[in-house]
Amino acid sequence: MHYSRNSPIASEHRYLASTAVLLVELVKLLTSLTLAAHDVRKSHPNASFFEIVVLLRRSIFAPDSWKLVVPAALYTFQNSLVYVAISNLDAVTFQVTYQIKIITTVLFSILLLGRNVSSRQWMSLILLTLGVAMVQIPGSLSSEDWKGKLTSLIQGEGRPEMKPTSNALKGVMAVIAASLTSGLTCVYFEKLVKGSLGSVSLWTRNVQLSFFSLFPAFFVGVLWQDGAAISRHGFFVGYNAIVWLTIALQALGGLVVAVCIAYADNVAKNFAASLSIVVSYAASAIVFGTPLMLHSTGGATLVLIAMYLFNTRLYPRMPLLPTTKEKHHIGPTSGLSVVHFMPLK
């Protein structure tokens, strides 16, 4: 994605992000629709093509399909908040602050899913948030840079290099709201998918989500945000093989995230996403020759430590040992003495 947005292009205009977002949702919709049809085919092997289409339509537009309108609307609202945040914050402040979504996801998992998180896991989540934020800080920042950032946040004023109308406090409030919305949306989708896996397939839910996401992607992004530019330069202006590859990877990533949420959870997804940031950091050094910074390397180390702390036990699991009250009885046929072992608690 970085290469597609910054590499030299043959045309005068770079591709519009809103068109790419719409195409990603279309690819996800078609792929999920194909997989959902395959599930229907497996459950009804003797059904004709027309019968499969009817069954698929009934499952997609079931009475509870409206529930997917909520995450689709929340995703759109989240993107709008991110746009407000980026418009009023510099990139570093935005990237660091937006990692709050790791914590908000866990909080909503506790509230909506009743998940239990130990104190050791909370410590690992804090380390994960800090580590991801450190990795995403570009270059080296002096103490004066951080002093200026804190001053702008406290006074509610934008940095001098940004446009005069920028407001740092407004940007921070927007990014915090976006983090809350992100956590709520992910956990709501997880609850909806896991609560209906027995009756509705994962791919049917993905079809519903992608279908309802098309409307805000088209009306808000393509028409309202970039409608004038599209009318002047065309829908596919700036498209090349790299752009299409980026769209395919984004669609595949969305499908993999859905599988992760359905068969694991959002916490595992956040750890996987954090690990991907570390991999991207290392890959950028290899592919683009980006120098390795001390704080970013330290942040990558914190991410790996956090993953270890969250997914391992503090003490090894105790072996099965006999209790103080051993139960003996004679086997009915062998004549051997049998001892029942129970785990110590």
Side-chain angles (χ1 to χ4, degrees):
M1 182 182 292
H2 171 81
Y3 184 76
S4 70
R5 298 299 294 173
N6 295 277
S7 63
I9 56 176
S11 62
E12 296 181 0
H13 303 281
R14 195 170 298 277
Y15 76 96
L16 299 170
S18 62
T19 62
V21 170
L22 179 63
L23 290 175
V24 167
E25 294 301 328
L26 280 173
V27 173
K28 287 167 57 180
L29 175 63
L30 294 175
T31 305
S32 300
L33 189 61
T34 303
L35 294 172
H38 177 69
D39 288 342
V40 173
R41 183 70 177 179
K42 286 177 61 179
S43 59
H44 300 81
N46 298 323
S48 64
F49 176 79
F50 177 76
E51 290 173 336
I52 290 177
V53 172
V54 172
L55 291 171
L56 194 60
R57 181 186 63 82
R58 289 177 181 175
S59 63
I60 293 174
F61 297 102
D64 67 340
S65 62
W66 63 268
K67 296 178 181 178
L68 274 299
V69 174
V70 177
L74 287 175
Y75 276 128
T76 304
F77 181 56
Q78 176 188 340
N79 291 333
S80 300
L81 290 171
V82 168
Y83 180 79
V84 173
I86 291 177
S87 301
N88 291 277
L89 293 174
D90 60 276
V92 177
T93 306
F94 169 77
Q95 288 174 337
V96 171
T97 312
Y98 197 37
Q99 303 316 315
I100 300 174
K101 64 183 179 180
I102 296 175
I103 303 297
T104 60
T105 300
V106 179
L107 290 175
F108 281 112
S109 296
I110 295 173
L111 293 174
L112 299 181
L113 301 178
R115 181 167 290 129
N116 295 321
V117 180
S118 66
S119 57
R120 188 166 185 254
Q121 290 176 326
W122 271 118
M123 181 178 67
S124 69
L125 289 168
I126 293 173
L127 289 177
L128 181 71
T129 305
L130 180 61
V132 173
M134 291 174 61
V135 171
Q136 295 195 93
I137 297 176
S140 59
L141 294 177
S142 63
S143 58
E144 291 298 323
D145 292 327
W146 286 112
K147 182 179 178 181
K149 291 178 184 299
L150 292 175
T151 302
S152 66
L153 294 180
I154 294 173
Q155 296 178 352
E157 298 175 355
R159 290 173 60 83
E161 65 269 19
M162 299 179 67
K163 59 184 181 181
T165 57
S166 64
N167 186 306
L169 184 58
K170 179 181 178 181
V172 169
M173 296 301 293
V175 76
I176 291 175
S179 300
L180 290 170
T181 307
S182 174
L184 175 60
T185 306
C186 292
V187 175
Y188 179 86
F189 183 66
E190 178 183 348
K191 182 179 178 66
L192 191 61
V193 169
K194 289 184 175 179
S196 60
L197 271 181
S199 57
V200 182
S201 71
L202 170 64
W203 303 117
T204 299
R205 288 301 188 197
N206 264 319
V207 171
Q208 294 169 340
L209 182 62
S210 297
F211 176 76
F212 288 118
S213 297
L214 288 177
F215 295 97
F218 178 75
F219 290 105
V220 178
V222 173
L223 289 184
W224 181 66
Q225 182 179 337
D226 293 323
I230 292 174
S231 63
R232 289 195 304 267
H233 309 298
F235 188 91
F236 294 103
V237 62
Y239 273 67
N240 54 31
I242 296 297
V243 177
W244 285 110
L245 178 61
T246 301
I247 291 172
L249 288 174
Q250 288 293 302
L252 177 62
L255 296 175
V256 172
V257 165
V259 174
C260 180
I261 291 175
Y263 298 105
D265 52 47
N266 276 291
V267 177
K269 184 207 70 175
N270 281 337
F271 273 97
S274 301
L275 182 61
S276 74
I277 293 175
V278 174
V279 174
S280 298
Y281 168 64
S284 296
I286 297 173
V287 177
F288 300 111
T290 306
L292 298 177
M293 306 303 298
L294 180 60
H295 63 269
S296 297
T297 305
T301 304
L302 285 180
V303 170
L304 298 178
I305 293 174
M307 295 185 68
Y308 174 79
L309 290 176
F310 192 90
N311 294 284
T312 57
R313 294 176 179 269
L314 186 60
Y315 301 104
R317 187 183 296 272
M318 295 295 293
L320 296 180
L321 296 175
T323 60
T324 55
K325 296 181 180 180
E326 296 181 355
K327 299 179 181 179
H328 294 72
H329 74 267
I330 303 300
T333 57
S334 64
L336 297 177
S337 175
V338 180
V339 181
H340 292 270
F341 293 94
M342 298 180 65
L344 289 177
K345 295 184 178 179

